[in-house]
């Protein structure tokens, strides 16, 4: 399968366009010329072996890390190199691979903090709804650091919900969590999607990729090496063996 | 809910006692109470940035001293401003310096900020020591005003205001949510739209200007200041210990730590006539608190007081860089 560039998957103009994006850390070419697009209302899966640059790509798009060069266009704005908070305010939200809790704040405060900038109206009601949706209501007053790993993933997902974003980047949200929690997250994604929200998700669980993603982007060694439907990717045994191992 | 009502009743009780205190005690004890209120307020002031935002300020005396010197200079023979007009002037000067120090350094890891604030206080000591207009090492006098009650109520007002601002801004508003979020995880705070550089700077300026108000009242109260007496590093040291003892990032802990340590200081002075012993106590207190009571006195009363030093961890992490800055 060839390198796929500029494939338009969703209807209308893509919500996210990345062109020739680079970010090296010393000698490590973490992101080494990535180009990709994500269409509106699409759920795109980003897969690839460990160290292939997926999380770094998220950090570049969300402004957490500044790119060396390249272009990032989000919802009509040129955002490459902008501050993370400015990009977030344009409607982009992300999770971190290692849950990024506000440890000394309560679960409710973690959610409210996500609404402190821009969406404060009715934030308390929305926090209560989000807690119920994610079944975190019984730990609402606990400190975030006291939550289990799975609950922390839920809480971080909850913060993303509170952002009322148009594009959500999820970095391995279901990795290592109990099947019950995974189910809650999947249901929440489905709900948000009904509201027209676009997702780009990093996932290792091929079952989840198959069930949830409309399209899959494969990264290796800092580059996009393939893109297509789940079946396209699975049929390409070369990609499967090199990058994913056998699914079943 | 019940706990909250107890807290409120306690607060009202404290306010009533403090308001009536001048009628209950003699001038000697009133002076001690005035000093206790000043230190309680200064501890709260340091805690705004150190406790709520997790940025350690090792030169907070700079802002206390700026307030003191601005008031002293403006009240001098040449200008002869009324006291209350000098306070806002001190606030403006302090805010400008805080922005100058904070804007470039608060973007970086906390260590740069800690060094910059410490160096700034040292520079001010040197500067005021060599300059003629500040009276050099000899210092500068103010027109004496010997109404102990005035100074008591001035410190009481300033301390109450500092406490109220802390409560309203850091415990009861979205500004406080932003500050605590950036303390606990800066990249995640940025990712939810918080302009962390700006919020840190705002907190720093607020912390600095409250300290300057206490400096202004202090200068007028003691009628004579010199570089060491208002910029000295021991002033910052005391604030830090008071906050650690009371509880970093807690609302009432630092105020209690301020009152407690100052009263100990005065009692030692009363019985031994010097305070070298107090310095030793201060050092020992730091060690003991960090080792055995990292959440301070306030931690003993909070539900999760057992959780050792989580806020302290964040602040220390910002200074030494614990990798929390990493995005993944
Ligand atoms: N902040 C950083 N400093 C140095 N190297 C980094 C940094 N972030 C990521 N890397 C390196 O970049 C490569 C890609 O990492 P990452 O984006 O986390 O991959 P993935 O998420 O696909 O597993 C890895 O070799 C990783 O060690
Ligand atoms: Mg990763």
């Amino acid at each position: 399968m060839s390198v796929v560039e500029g494939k338009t998957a969703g209807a209308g103009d893509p919500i996210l366009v990345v062109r020739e994006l680079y970010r090296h850390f010393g000698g490590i070419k973490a992101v080494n010329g990535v180009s990709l697009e994500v269409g509106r209302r699409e759920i795109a899966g980003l897969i690839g072996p460990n160290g292939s640059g997926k999380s770094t790509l998220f950090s570049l798009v969300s402004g957490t890390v500044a790119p060396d060069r390249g272009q990032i266009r989000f919802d009509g704005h040129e955002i490459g190199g902008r501050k993370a908070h400015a990009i977030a305010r344009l409607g982009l939200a992300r999770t971190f691979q290692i849950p990024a809790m506000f440890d000394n704040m309560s679960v409710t405060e973690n959610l409210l903090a996500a609404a402190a900038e821009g969406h404060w109206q009715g934030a308390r009601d929305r926090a209560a709804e989000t807690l119920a949706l994610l079944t975190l209501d019984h730990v609402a007053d606990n400190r975030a650091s006291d939550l289990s790993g799975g609950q922390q993933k839920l809480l971080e997902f909850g913060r993303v919900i509170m952002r009322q974003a148009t594009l959500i980047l999820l970095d391995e949200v279901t990795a290592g969590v109990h099947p019950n929690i995974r189910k809650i997250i999947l249901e929440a994604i489905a709900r948000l999607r009904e509201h027209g929200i676009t997702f780009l998700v990093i996932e290792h669980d091929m079952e989840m990729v198959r069930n949830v993603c409309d399209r899959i982007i494969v990264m290796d060694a800092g580059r996009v090496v393939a893109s297509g439907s789940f079946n396209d990717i699975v049929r390409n045994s070369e990609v499967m063996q090199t990058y994913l191992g056998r699914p079943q | 809910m019940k706990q909250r009502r107890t807290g409120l009743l306690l607060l009202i009780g404290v306010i009533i006692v403090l308001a009536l205190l001048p009628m209950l005690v003699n001038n000697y004890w009133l002076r001690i109470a005035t000093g206790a209120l000043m230190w309680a307020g200064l501890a709260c002031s340091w805690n705004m940035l150190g406790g709520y935002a997790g940025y350690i300020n090792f030169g907070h005396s700079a802002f206390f001293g700026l307030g003191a010197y601005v008031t002293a200079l403006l009240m001098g023979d040449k200008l002869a401003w009324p006291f209350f007009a000098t306070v806002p002037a001190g606030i403006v000067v302090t805010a400008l310096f805080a922005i100058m120090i904070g804007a470039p350094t608060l973007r970086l890891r906390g260590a740069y900020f800690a060094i910059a604030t410490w160096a700034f206080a040292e520079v001010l000591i040197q500067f005021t020591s060599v300059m003629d207009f500040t009276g050099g090492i000899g210092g500068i006098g103010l027109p004496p005003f010997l109404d102990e009650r005035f100074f008591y109520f001035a410190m009481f007002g300033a301390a109450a205001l500092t406490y109220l601002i802390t409560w309203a801004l850091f415990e009861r508003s979205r500004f406080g949510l932003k500050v605590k979020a950036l303390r606990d995880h800066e990249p995640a705070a940025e990712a939810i739209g918080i302009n962390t550089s700006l919020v840190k700077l705002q907190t720093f300026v607020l912390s600095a200007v409250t300290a300057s108000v206490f400096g202004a009242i202090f200068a007028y109260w003691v009628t004579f200041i010199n570089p060491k007496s208002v910029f000295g590093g021991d002033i910052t040291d005391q604030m830090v210990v008071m906050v650690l003892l009371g509880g970093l990032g807690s609302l009432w802990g630092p105020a209690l730590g301020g009152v407690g340590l100052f009263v100990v200081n005065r009692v030692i002075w009363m019985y031994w006539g010097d305070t070298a012993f107090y310095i030793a106590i201060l050092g020992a207190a730091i060690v003991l608190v960090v080792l055995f009571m990292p959440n301070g006195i306030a931690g003993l009363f909070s539900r999760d007081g057992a959780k050792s030093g989580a806020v302290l961890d964040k602040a220390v992490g910002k200074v030494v860089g614990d990798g929390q800055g990493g995005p993944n």
Side-chain angles (χ1 to χ4, degrees), chain B residues 241-303:
Chain B
V241 181
M242 286 162 174
V243 173
L244 287 179
L245 179 70
L248 191 64
S250 127
L251 173 65
W252 54 268
L256 189 69
V259 171
L261 269 187
F262 181 74
V263 170
V264 167
N265 171 310
R266 289 296 92 185
V267 168
I268 289 173
W269 192 84
M270 247 155 58
Y271 287 102
W272 285 279
D274 86 350
T275 50
F277 188 43
Y278 171 71
I279 307 289
I281 290 191
L282 221 55
I286 283 204
V287 174
L288 291 177
V289 165
V290 168
L291 286 181
F292 300 111
M293 216 169 60
N295 289 331
I297 295 167
L300 302 177
F301 292 86
S302 91
R303 195 160 44 94

Coordinates of all heavy atoms in Angstrom, one line a residue, chain B residues 241-303:
Chain B
V241 N 8.0 29.3 55.9 CA 7.8 28.3 57.1 C 6.4 28.4 57.6 O 5.7 27.4 57.9 CB 8.8 28.6 58.2 CG1 8.6 27.6 59.3 CG2 10.2 28.5 57.7
M242 N 5.8 29.6 57.7 CA 4.5 29.8 58.2 C 3.5 29.0 57.3 O 2.6 28.4 57.8 CB 4.1 31.2 58.3 CG 4.8 32.0 59.4 SD 4.8 33.8 59.2 CE 5.5 34.3 60.8
V243 N 3.7 29.2 56.0 CA 2.8 28.5 55.1 C 2.9 27.0 55.1 O 1.9 26.2 55.2 CB 3.0 29.0 53.6 CG1 2.2 28.2 52.6 CG2 2.6 30.5 53.5
L244 N 4.2 26.5 55.1 CA 4.4 25.1 55.2 C 3.8 24.5 56.5 O 3.1 23.5 56.5 CB 5.9 24.8 55.1 CG 6.5 24.9 53.8 CD1 8.0 24.6 53.9 CD2 5.9 24.1 52.7
L245 N 4.0 25.2 57.6 CA 3.5 24.7 58.9 C 2.0 24.7 58.9 O 1.3 23.8 59.3 CB 4.0 25.6 60.0 CG 3.5 25.3 61.4 CD1 4.2 24.0 61.9 CD2 3.9 26.4 62.4
G246 N 1.4 25.8 58.3 CA -0.1 25.9 58.3 C -0.7 25.0 57.3 O -1.8 24.4 57.6
G247 N -0.1 24.8 56.2 CA -0.7 24.0 55.1 C -0.6 24.7 53.8 O -1.4 25.6 53.5
L248 N 0.3 24.2 52.9 CA 0.4 24.8 51.6 C -0.9 24.6 50.8 O -1.4 23.6 50.7 CB 1.6 24.1 50.9 CG 2.2 24.6 49.6 CD1 2.8 25.9 49.8 CD2 3.2 23.6 49.1
G249 N -1.3 25.8 50.2 CA -2.5 25.7 49.4 C -3.8 25.5 50.1 O -4.9 25.3 49.5
S250 N -3.8 25.7 51.5 CA -5.0 25.7 52.2 C -5.4 27.2 52.5 O -4.6 28.1 52.4 CB -4.8 25.0 53.5 OG -5.2 25.8 54.6
L251 N -6.7 27.4 52.7 CA -7.2 28.7 52.9 C -6.8 29.3 54.3 O -6.2 30.4 54.4 CB -8.7 28.8 52.8 CG -9.4 30.1 53.1 CD1 -9.0 31.2 52.1 CD2 -10.9 29.9 53.2
W252 N -7.1 28.6 55.3 CA -6.8 29.1 56.7 C -5.5 28.7 57.3 O -5.0 29.3 58.2 CB -8.0 28.8 57.6 CG -8.3 27.3 57.7 CD1 -9.2 26.6 56.9 CD2 -7.7 26.3 58.5 NE1 -9.2 25.3 57.2 CE2 -8.3 25.0 58.2 CE3 -6.8 26.3 59.6 CZ2 -8.0 23.9 58.9 CZ3 -6.4 25.2 60.2 CH2 -7.0 23.9 59.9
G253 N -4.9 27.6 56.8 CA -3.7 27.1 57.4 C -2.6 28.1 57.5 O -2.0 28.3 58.5
P254 N -2.3 28.8 56.3 CA -1.2 29.8 56.4 C -1.4 30.9 57.4 O -0.5 31.4 58.1 CB -1.2 30.3 55.0 CG -1.7 29.2 54.1 CD -2.7 28.6 55.0
A255 N -2.7 31.4 57.5 CA -3.0 32.4 58.5 C -2.7 31.9 59.9 O -2.1 32.6 60.7 CB -4.5 32.8 58.4
L256 N -3.1 30.7 60.2 CA -2.8 30.1 61.5 C -1.3 29.9 61.7 O -0.8 30.3 62.8 CB -3.5 28.7 61.6 CG -3.5 28.1 63.0 CD1 -4.4 28.9 63.9 CD2 -4.0 26.7 62.9
G257 N -0.6 29.5 60.7 CA 0.8 29.3 60.8 C 1.5 30.6 61.1 O 2.4 30.7 61.9
G258 N 1.0 31.7 60.4 CA 1.6 33.0 60.6 C 1.4 33.5 62.1 O 2.4 33.9 62.7
V259 N 0.2 33.4 62.6 CA -0.1 33.8 63.9 C 0.7 33.0 64.9 O 1.4 33.5 65.8 CB -1.6 33.7 64.3 CG1 -1.8 33.9 65.8 CG2 -2.4 34.7 63.5
G260 N 0.7 31.6 64.7 CA 1.4 30.7 65.6 C 2.9 31.0 65.7 O 3.4 31.2 66.8
L261 N 3.5 31.1 64.6 CA 5.0 31.3 64.6 C 5.4 32.6 65.2 O 6.4 32.8 65.9 CB 5.6 31.1 63.2 CG 6.0 29.7 62.9 CD1 6.7 29.6 61.5 CD2 6.9 29.1 64.0
F262 N 4.6 33.6 64.8 CA 4.9 35.0 65.3 C 4.8 35.1 66.8 O 5.7 35.6 67.5 CB 4.1 36.1 64.6 CG 4.5 37.4 65.1 CD1 5.6 38.0 64.6 CD2 3.7 38.1 66.0 CE1 6.0 39.3 65.1 CE2 4.0 39.4 66.4 CZ 5.2 40.0 66.0
V263 N 3.8 34.5 67.3 CA 3.6 34.5 68.8 C 4.7 33.7 69.5 O 5.3 34.2 70.5 CB 2.2 33.9 69.2 CG1 2.1 33.7 70.7 CG2 1.1 34.9 68.7
V264 N 5.1 32.6 68.9 CA 6.2 31.9 69.5 C 7.5 32.8 69.4 O 8.2 32.9 70.4 CB 6.5 30.6 68.6 CG1 7.9 30.0 69.0 CG2 5.4 29.6 68.9
N265 N 7.7 33.4 68.3 CA 8.8 34.4 68.2 C 8.8 35.4 69.3 O 9.8 35.6 70.0 CB 8.7 35.0 66.8 CG 9.7 36.2 66.6 OD1 9.8 37.0 67.5 ND2 10.5 36.1 65.5
R266 N 7.7 36.0 69.6 CA 7.6 37.0 70.6 C 7.8 36.5 72.0 O 8.4 37.1 72.9 CB 6.2 37.8 70.5 CG 6.1 38.6 69.3 CD 7.0 39.8 69.3 NE 8.3 39.5 68.6 CZ 9.3 40.3 68.6 NH1 9.3 41.5 69.2 NH2 10.4 39.9 67.9
V267 N 7.2 35.3 72.2 CA 7.4 34.7 73.6 C 8.8 34.4 73.8 O 9.4 34.7 74.9 CB 6.5 33.4 73.7 CG1 6.8 32.7 74.9 CG2 5.0 33.8 73.7
I268 N 9.5 33.8 72.8 CA 10.9 33.6 73.0 C 11.7 34.9 73.3 O 12.6 34.9 74.2 CB 11.5 32.9 71.7 CG1 10.9 31.5 71.6 CG2 13.0 32.9 71.7 CD1 11.3 30.8 70.3
W269 N 11.3 35.9 72.6 CA 12.0 37.2 72.8 C 11.8 37.7 74.2 O 12.7 38.2 74.8 CB 11.5 38.2 71.7 CG 12.3 39.4 71.6 CD1 13.4 39.6 70.9 CD2 12.0 40.6 72.3 NE1 13.9 40.9 71.1 CE2 13.0 41.5 71.9 CE3 11.0 41.1 73.2 CZ2 13.1 42.8 72.4 CZ3 11.1 42.4 73.7 CH2 12.1 43.2 73.3
M270 N 10.6 37.5 74.7 CA 10.2 37.9 76.0 C 11.1 37.3 77.1 O 11.6 37.9 78.0 CB 8.8 37.6 76.3 CG 7.9 38.9 76.4 SD 6.2 38.5 76.1 CE 5.8 37.2 77.2
Y271 N 11.3 35.9 76.9 CA 12.0 35.2 77.9 C 13.5 35.2 77.8 O 14.2 35.1 78.7 CB 11.4 33.8 78.0 CG 10.1 33.7 78.6 CD1 8.9 33.6 77.8 CD2 9.9 33.9 80.0 CE1 7.6 33.6 78.4 CE2 8.6 33.9 80.6 CZ 7.5 33.7 79.8 OH 6.3 33.7 80.3
W272 N 14.0 35.2 76.6 CA 15.4 35.1 76.3 C 16.0 36.3 75.8 O 17.2 36.4 75.7 CB 15.7 33.9 75.4 CG 15.5 32.6 76.0 CD1 16.5 32.0 76.8 CD2 14.4 31.7 76.0 NE1 16.0 30.8 77.3 CE2 14.7 30.6 76.8 CE3 13.2 31.8 75.3 CZ2 13.8 29.5 76.9 CZ3 12.3 30.7 75.5 CH2 12.6 29.6 76.3
G273 N 15.2 37.3 75.4 CA 15.7 38.6 75.0 C 16.4 38.6 73.7 O 16.8 39.6 73.2
D274 N 16.6 37.4 73.0 CA 17.0 37.5 71.6 C 16.3 36.4 70.8 O 15.7 35.5 71.4 CB 18.5 37.5 71.5 CG 19.1 36.1 71.5 OD1 18.3 35.1 71.7 OD2 20.3 35.9 71.2
T275 N 16.4 36.4 69.5 CA 15.7 35.5 68.7 C 16.5 34.5 67.9 O 16.0 33.9 67.0 CB 14.7 36.3 67.8 OG1 15.5 37.2 67.1 CG2 13.6 36.9 68.5
A276 N 17.8 34.4 68.3 CA 18.6 33.4 67.6 C 18.0 32.0 67.8 O 18.0 31.2 66.9 CB 20.1 33.4 68.2
F277 N 17.5 31.8 69.0 CA 16.9 30.5 69.3 C 15.7 30.3 68.3 O 15.4 29.1 67.9 CB 16.4 30.6 70.7 CG 15.8 29.3 71.2 CD1 16.5 28.1 71.0 CD2 14.7 29.2 72.0 CE1 16.0 26.8 71.4 CE2 14.2 28.0 72.5 CZ 14.9 26.8 72.2
Y278 N 15.0 31.4 68.0 CA 13.8 31.3 67.1 C 14.2 30.8 65.7 O 13.6 30.0 65.1 CB 13.2 32.6 67.0 CG 12.1 32.8 66.0 CD1 10.9 32.1 66.1 CD2 12.3 33.5 64.8 CE1 9.9 32.2 65.2 CE2 11.3 33.6 63.9 CZ 10.1 33.0 64.1 OH 9.1 33.1 63.1
I279 N 15.4 31.3 65.2 CA 15.9 30.9 63.9 C 16.1 29.3 63.9 O 15.7 28.6 63.0 CB 17.2 31.5 63.6 CG1 17.1 33.1 63.7 CG2 17.7 31.1 62.2 CD1 16.3 33.7 62.6
A280 N 16.6 28.8 65.0 CA 16.8 27.4 65.1 C 15.5 26.6 65.1 O 15.4 25.6 64.4 CB 17.6 27.1 66.4
I281 N 14.5 27.2 65.8 CA 13.2 26.6 65.8 C 12.6 26.6 64.4 O 12.0 25.6 63.9 CB 12.3 27.4 66.8 CG1 12.7 27.1 68.2 CG2 10.8 26.9 66.5 CD1 11.7 27.6 69.2
L282 N 12.8 27.7 63.7 CA 12.3 27.8 62.3 C 12.9 26.7 61.4 O 12.2 26.0 60.7 CB 12.8 29.2 61.8 CG 11.8 30.0 60.9 CD1 10.5 30.2 61.7 CD2 12.4 31.3 60.6
G283 N 14.2 26.5 61.5 CA 14.9 25.5 60.7 C 14.3 24.1 61.1 O 14.0 23.3 60.2
A284 N 14.2 23.9 62.4 CA 13.7 22.5 62.8 C 12.3 22.4 62.4 O 11.9 21.3 61.9 CB 13.8 22.4 64.3
A285 N 11.5 23.4 62.4 CA 10.1 23.3 62.1 C 10.0 22.9 60.6 O 9.2 22.1 60.2 CB 9.4 24.7 62.3
I286 N 10.8 23.5 59.7 CA 10.8 23.2 58.3 C 11.0 21.7 58.1 O 10.3 21.0 57.4 CB 11.8 24.0 57.5 CG1 11.4 25.4 57.3 CG2 12.1 23.3 56.2 CD1 12.0 26.1 56.1
V287 N 12.1 21.2 58.7 CA 12.5 19.8 58.6 C 11.3 18.9 59.0 O 10.9 18.0 58.3 CB 13.8 19.5 59.3 CG1 14.1 18.0 59.3 CG2 14.9 20.3 58.7
L288 N 10.8 19.2 60.2 CA 9.8 18.3 60.8 C 8.5 18.3 60.0 O 7.9 17.3 59.7 CB 9.5 18.8 62.2 CG 10.6 18.5 63.2 CD1 10.3 19.0 64.6 CD2 10.9 17.0 63.3
V289 N 8.1 19.5 59.5 CA 6.9 19.6 58.8 C 7.0 18.9 57.4 O 6.2 18.1 57.1 CB 6.5 21.1 58.5 CG1 5.5 21.2 57.4 CG2 6.0 21.8 59.8
V290 N 8.1 19.1 56.7 CA 8.3 18.5 55.4 C 8.3 17.0 55.6 O 7.8 16.2 54.8 CB 9.6 19.0 54.7 CG1 9.9 18.1 53.6 CG2 9.4 20.4 54.3
L291 N 9.0 16.5 56.7 CA 9.1 15.0 56.8 C 7.8 14.4 57.3 O 7.4 13.4 56.8 CB 10.2 14.7 57.8 CG 11.7 14.9 57.3 CD1 12.7 14.6 58.4 CD2 11.9 14.1 56.0
F292 N 7.2 15.0 58.3 CA 6.1 14.3 59.0 C 4.7 14.9 58.8 O 3.7 14.3 59.1 CB 6.4 14.2 60.5 CG 7.7 13.5 60.8 CD1 8.8 14.2 61.3 CD2 7.8 12.2 60.6 CE1 10.0 13.6 61.6 CE2 9.0 11.5 60.8 CZ 10.1 12.2 61.3
M293 N 4.7 16.1 58.3 CA 3.4 16.8 58.2 C 3.3 17.6 56.9 O 3.0 18.8 57.0 CB 3.2 17.7 59.4 CG 1.8 17.7 60.0 SD 1.7 18.6 61.6 CE 2.3 20.2 61.2
P294 N 3.5 16.9 55.8 CA 3.7 17.7 54.6 C 2.5 18.5 54.2 O 2.5 19.4 53.3 CB 4.1 16.7 53.5 CG 3.7 15.4 54.1 CD 3.7 15.5 55.6
N295 N 1.3 18.2 54.8 CA 0.1 19.0 54.5 C -0.1 20.0 55.5 O -1.2 20.7 55.5 CB -1.1 18.1 54.3 CG -1.1 17.3 53.0 OD1 -0.5 17.7 52.0 ND2 -1.6 16.1 53.0
G296 N 0.8 20.2 56.5 CA 0.7 21.2 57.5 C -0.5 20.9 58.5 O -1.1 19.8 58.5
I297 N -0.7 21.9 59.3 CA -1.8 21.8 60.3 C -3.1 21.6 59.6 O -3.9 20.7 60.0 CB -1.8 23.0 61.2 CG1 -0.5 23.1 62.0 CG2 -3.0 23.0 62.1 CD1 -0.3 24.4 62.7
A298 N -3.4 22.3 58.5 CA -4.7 22.2 57.8 C -4.9 20.7 57.4 O -6.0 20.2 57.4 CB -4.7 23.1 56.6
G299 N -3.8 20.0 57.0 CA -3.9 18.7 56.5 C -4.4 17.7 57.6 O -5.1 16.7 57.3
L300 N -4.1 18.0 58.9 CA -4.6 17.2 60.0 C -6.1 17.2 60.1 O -6.7 16.3 60.6 CB -4.0 17.6 61.3 CG -2.5 17.7 61.4 CD1 -2.0 18.2 62.7 CD2 -1.9 16.3 61.1
F301 N -6.7 18.3 59.6 CA -8.2 18.4 59.7 C -8.9 18.1 58.4 O -10.1 18.0 58.4 CB -8.5 19.9 60.1 CG -8.1 20.2 61.5 CD1 -6.8 20.7 61.7 CD2 -9.0 20.0 62.6 CE1 -6.4 21.0 63.0 CE2 -8.6 20.3 63.9 CZ -7.3 20.8 64.1
S302 N -8.2 17.9 57.3 CA -9.0 17.6 56.1 C -9.2 16.1 55.9 O -8.4 15.3 56.5 CB -8.2 18.2 54.9 OG -7.3 17.3 54.4
R303 N -10.2 15.8 55.2 CA -10.6 14.4 55.0 C -9.4 13.6 54.4 O -9.2 12.4 54.8 CB -11.8 14.4 54.0 CG -12.5 13.1 54.0 CD -13.9 13.4 53.4 NE -13.9 14.3 52.3 CZ -13.8 13.8 51.0 NH1 -13.8 12.5 50.8 NH2 -13.7 14.6 50.0

